[in-house]
């Protein structure tokens, strides 16, 4: 890893109390909770137009229903996580989640309600209760983003820098003191004593994904290059039911809420196949359902989701987003089953953070999908992602606000990898195909080694700032290296050569990027040094 002085890299400098990279639910929640401090939000697209948050269909999981409790929600979360979730983080998530949903309602979020005016709660896979808060059937993410964007526009303390790509964390020794971003062909240094990564995941790494084009792992890559601790890098969640539309990229999501309402999965002979594999049938955890469909496809068969009896003619009103996707690809779910296929959906991997979103680097916090907060373990429970973004966004802001102001650093550096991939369409296509083939639903030692070798050949010496494609290749190196180490199958990580769960691997793997030209050993094990819940309290 090479250190470069910021002085020779940037064209202009701006100062703020905090810089937030990312404008999804986590980033905007943090920005609003930091008011009246001066906050700059850096977003890769126009505000409210990009990222995964607005695509979320199913909803927000929270213990708001009669007979439900945070403890029951935590039990379901821990069970789905296959032994790798942090119970303390899960307790924070489930106990503070209901208050965050109520806060959204106070901000103007319009969630679906029954005839009596109570929140209408849905159920999804691996949940034992109906606890999914949703909006307009399957437009929950869009409604939450609408609500937060309106609140941000009304907040004079928040400044938005749109259409900008954050490329580097600015460092004072081992402390983070700002962000370097590219905007209109020029480089901008945003200096601040607090930087928050809320950049989302890296689902765009895979050739088949439900993620938008912006999700290229930028935040994870920046944090890794700066030396932050990383965790759960092998854990990627594949959604079982994306619309099988070969020409679409990304693949449209077919929400799990449909299965929660009684829709069934059928093979190409018209038989339900999930009841024979798991007692929870279509509501089994996502990794089990996704691999079941993958095995059908590996045998040259296919799967469909049948909504004709469970939803029928009410489909356009109850699930308008999925209805629109289906009709645009010539499918009428009222009259015929929906062809579905697994696709990369969510990354449990990320920057290691504690219950206040603190990373291992002073001055750097993170929230949402870019993190490994410990709440998802090896397999995220459905609809816990928006909840995590809300809870950790607020907690990050609370922690930053409680800290005394620090002096502004005069001389700053950035850490850049001198060998990285070219920013071109050929490289992008190559790394996405490689990841789907070797880092996807089923992995093995030979495939992982092939992936590492191929990634090595994609790296060329380039002295310009890293971009989307270079970040994807970089993240692929991290995923492949971590997947090679975990010699078992657990949750979203499945090894064909180690097909069973092994109790000796019931632990999280924490890493720091070591740098260097060769990619076959890019990580070094570290012992995380983050405050415990007791120390924070």
């Amino acid at each position: 890893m090479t250190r470069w002085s910021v002085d020779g890299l940037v064209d202009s400098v701006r100062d703020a109390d905090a810089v937030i990279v990312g404008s999804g639910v986590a980033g905007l929640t943090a920005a609003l909770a930091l008011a009246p401090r001066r906050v700059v939000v850096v977003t890769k697209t126009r505000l409210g137009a990009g990222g995964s948050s607005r695509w979320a269909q199913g909803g927000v999981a929270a213990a708001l229903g009669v007979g439900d409790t945070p403890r029951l929600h935590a039990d379901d979360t821990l069970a789905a996580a296959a032994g790798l979730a942090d119970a303390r983080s899960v307790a924070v998530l489930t106990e503070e989640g209901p208050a965050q949903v109520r806060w959204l309602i106070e901000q103007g979020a319009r969630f679906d309600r029954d005839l009596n005016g109570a929140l209408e709660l849905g159920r999804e896979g691996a949940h034992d209760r109906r606890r999914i808060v949703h909006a307009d059937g399957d437009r929950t993410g869009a409604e939450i983003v609408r609500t937060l964007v309106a609140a941000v526009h009304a907040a004079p303390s928040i400044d938005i820098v749109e259409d900008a790509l954050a490329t580097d964390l600015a460092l004072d020794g081992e402390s983070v003191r700002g962000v370097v971003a590219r905007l209109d062909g020029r480089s901008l240094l945003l200096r601040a004593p607090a930087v928050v990564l809320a950049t989302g995941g890296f689902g765009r790494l895979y050739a088949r994904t439900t993620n938008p084009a912006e999700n290229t792992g930028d935040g994870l890559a920046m944090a890794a290059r700066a030396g932050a601790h990383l965790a759960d890098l092998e854990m990627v969640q594949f959604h079982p039911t994306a619309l099988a539309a070969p020409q679409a990229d990304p693949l449209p999501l077919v929400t799990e809420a449909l299965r929660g309402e009684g829709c069934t999965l059928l093979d190409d002979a018209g038989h339900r196949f999930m009841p024979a594999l798991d007692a929870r049938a279509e509501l089994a955890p996502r990794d089990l359902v996704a691999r079941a469909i993958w095995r059908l496809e590996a045998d040259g068969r296919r799967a469909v989701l049948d909504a004709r009896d469970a939803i029928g003619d009410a489909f356009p009103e109850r699930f308008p987003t999925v209805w629109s996707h289906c009709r645009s690809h010539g499918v009428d779910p009222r009259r015929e089953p929906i062809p579905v296929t697994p696709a990369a959906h969510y990354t449990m991997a990320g920057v290691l953070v504690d219950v206040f979103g603190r990373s291992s680097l002073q001055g750097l916090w993170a929230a949402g999908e870019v993190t490994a907060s410990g709440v998802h373990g090896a397999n995220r429970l459905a609809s816990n992602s928006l909840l995590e973004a809300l809870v950790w966004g607020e907690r990050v802001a609370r922690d930053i606000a409680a800290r005394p102001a620090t002096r502004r650093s005069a001389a700053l550096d950035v850490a850049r990898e001198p060998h990285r991939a070219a920013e071109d369409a050929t490289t992008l296509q190559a790394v996405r195909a490689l990841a789907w083939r070797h880092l996807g639903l089923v992995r093995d030692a030979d495939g992982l080694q092939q992936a590492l070798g191929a990634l090595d050949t994609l790296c060329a010496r380039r002295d310009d700032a890293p971009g989307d494609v270079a970040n994807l290749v970089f993240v692929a190196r991290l995923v492949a290296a971590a997947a090679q180490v975990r010699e078992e199958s657990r949750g979203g990580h499945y090894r064909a050569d180690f097909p069973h769960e092994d109790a000796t691997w019931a632990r999280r793997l924490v890493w720091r990027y070591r740098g260097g030209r060769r990619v076959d050993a890019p990580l070094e094990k570290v012992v995380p040094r983050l405050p415990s819940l007791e120390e924070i309290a």
Side-chain angles (χ1 to χ4, degrees):
M1 196 65 61
T2 303
R3 285 287 188 109
W4 302 65
S5 171
V6 167
D7 291 340
L9 297 177
V10 301
D11 301 301
S12 58
V13 180
R14 290 171 61 180
D15 292 310
D17 295 324
V19 175
I20 298 173
V21 187
S23 59
V25 169
L28 296 185
T29 298
L32 289 166
L34 277 167
R37 289 165 180 78
R38 295 175 304 141
V39 176
V40 174
V41 176
V42 182
T43 176
K44 209 170 176 181
T45 63
R46 306 293 290 179
L47 182 63
S52 289
S53 291
R54 69 188 183 96
W55 290 45
Q57 294 180 3
V60 185
L64 293 163
V66 176
D68 199 5
T69 67
R71 178 68 258 175
L72 291 173
H73 186 185
D75 289 344
D76 288 348
T77 300
L78 291 168
L84 292 193
D86 184 324
R88 300 170 303 174
S89 297
V90 171
V92 167
L93 177 80
T94 57
E95 289 168 7
E96 298 188 8
Q100 286 303 110
V101 173
R102 296 187 186 102
W103 173 78
L104 272 178
I105 294 171
E106 292 171 1
Q107 299 302 308
R110 302 176 295 232
F111 293 120
D112 294 337
R113 297 180 179 270
D114 62 22
L115 295 177
N116 297 317
L119 287 172
E120 191 175 69
L121 302 176
R123 185 182 176 195
E124 295 181 353
H127 286 274
D128 194 47
R129 295 287 192 279
R130 298 183 74 89
R131 63 169 66 98
I132 313 302
V133 180
H134 48 85
D136 196 12
D138 59 3
R139 291 176 177 164
T140 311
E143 173 59 17
I144 294 175
V145 170
R146 181 203 64 79
T147 301
L148 296 176
V149 167
V152 164
H153 281 314
S157 60
I158 302 173
D159 186 17
I160 308 296
V161 178
E162 296 179 310
D163 298 318
L165 174 66
T167 59
D168 302 282
L169 295 176
L171 303 170
D172 179 4
E174 298 304 310
S175 298
V176 176
R177 291 291 180 261
V179 174
V180 176
R182 281 208 309 268
L183 176 66
D184 295 329
R186 297 171 65 81
S187 290
L188 168 67
L189 170 61
L190 296 163
R191 287 189 305 200
V195 172
V196 181
L197 294 177
T199 51
F202 54 82
R204 192 67 179 170
L205 174 62
Y206 293 90
R208 288 161 61 177
T209 181
T210 62
N211 283 214
E214 305 89 67
N215 285 22
T216 51
D218 306 323
L220 176 58
M222 284 192 294
R225 290 193 294 265
H229 291 179
L230 318 170
D232 309 326
L233 294 173
E234 69 277 23
M235 296 301 174
V236 179
Q237 185 175 76
F238 295 85
H239 200 288
T241 55
L243 183 65
Q247 303 307 314
D249 184 19
L251 295 177
L253 181 65
V254 178
T255 176
E256 191 162 313
L258 284 162
R259 284 176 278 138
E261 296 304 315
C263 300
T264 55
L265 286 165
L266 309 176
D267 61 23
D268 46 6
H271 299 137
R272 285 182 71 188
F273 54 88
M274 282 307 303
L277 301 176
D278 191 282
R280 294 161 290 187
E282 283 81 4
L283 293 180
R286 286 179 173 176
D287 64 305
L288 299 178
V289 183
R291 280 195 298 275
I293 297 174
W294 182 89
R295 291 188 182 99
L296 280 177
E297 294 182 350
D299 290 336
R301 306 176 67 188
R302 68 187 187 102
V304 295
L305 183 68
D306 192 351
R308 291 173 293 183
D309 291 336
I311 309 296
D313 290 338
F315 205 110
E317 294 75 34
R318 293 184 62 184
F319 297 95
T321 302
V322 179
W323 167 258
S324 176
H325 289 321
C326 287
R327 294 306 296 139
S328 66
H329 291 280
V331 177
D332 185 346
R334 302 170 304 177
R335 308 287 179 257
E336 59 186 317
I338 305 168
V340 292
T341 186
H345 183 59
Y346 191 87
T347 51
M348 285 84 75
V351 180
L352 182 67
V353 297
D354 66 9
V355 294
F356 276 107
R358 303 167 186 157
S359 78
S360 62
L361 299 179
Q362 289 293 322
L364 180 65
W365 287 257
E369 192 178 355
V370 70
T371 69
S373 66
V375 300
H376 304 309
N379 189 35
R380 176 175 67 87
L381 184 66
S383 288
N384 270 356
S385 53
L386 288 175
L387 188 70
E388 181 196 21
L390 288 164
V391 170
W392 259 257
E394 190 277 335
R395 290 180 75 85
V396 160
R398 191 194 319 169
D399 193 56
I400 293 173
R403 291 175 177 254
T406 58
R407 66 177 179 83
R408 184 167 292 117
S409 303
L412 297 175
D413 300 322
V414 297
R416 286 184 177 173
E417 173 63 68
H419 302 92
R420 53 185 170 270
E423 297 290 331
D424 57 50
T426 300
T427 303
L428 176 62
Q429 182 179 12
V431 70
R432 295 185 70 201
L434 180 150
W436 181 254
R437 185 166 61 252
H438 295 307
L439 309 179
L441 284 89
V442 176
R443 305 159 175 176
D444 60 39
D446 289 343
L448 292 169
Q449 193 58 46
Q450 288 179 46
L452 287 166
L455 291 167
D456 192 22
T457 65
L458 289 177
C459 294
R461 185 172 185 84
R462 298 173 62 86
D463 293 330
D464 55 335
D468 306 63
V469 179
N471 284 336
L472 278 179
V473 174
F474 182 85
V475 168
R477 297 167 62 182
L478 304 181
V479 174
Q484 193 176 47
V485 171
R486 184 176 286 278
E487 294 182 333
E488 67 154 355
S489 292
R490 184 182 295 270
H493 171 71
Y494 187 86
R495 288 279 299 262
D497 46 352
F498 296 96
H500 303 294
E501 194 173 286
D502 184 341
T504 62
W505 285 100
R507 64 186 188 276
R508 300 176 71 190
L509 302 181
V510 180
W511 309 95
R512 181 167 48 214
Y513 179 64
R514 70 164 81 234
R517 178 73 175 97
R518 296 294 303 175
V519 300
D520 51 353
L523 300 171
E524 61 180 356
K525 292 181 181 178
V526 296
V527 177
R529 297 189 180 279
L530 294 173
S532 68
L533 192 63
E534 292 76 17
E535 291 169 335
I536 291 169

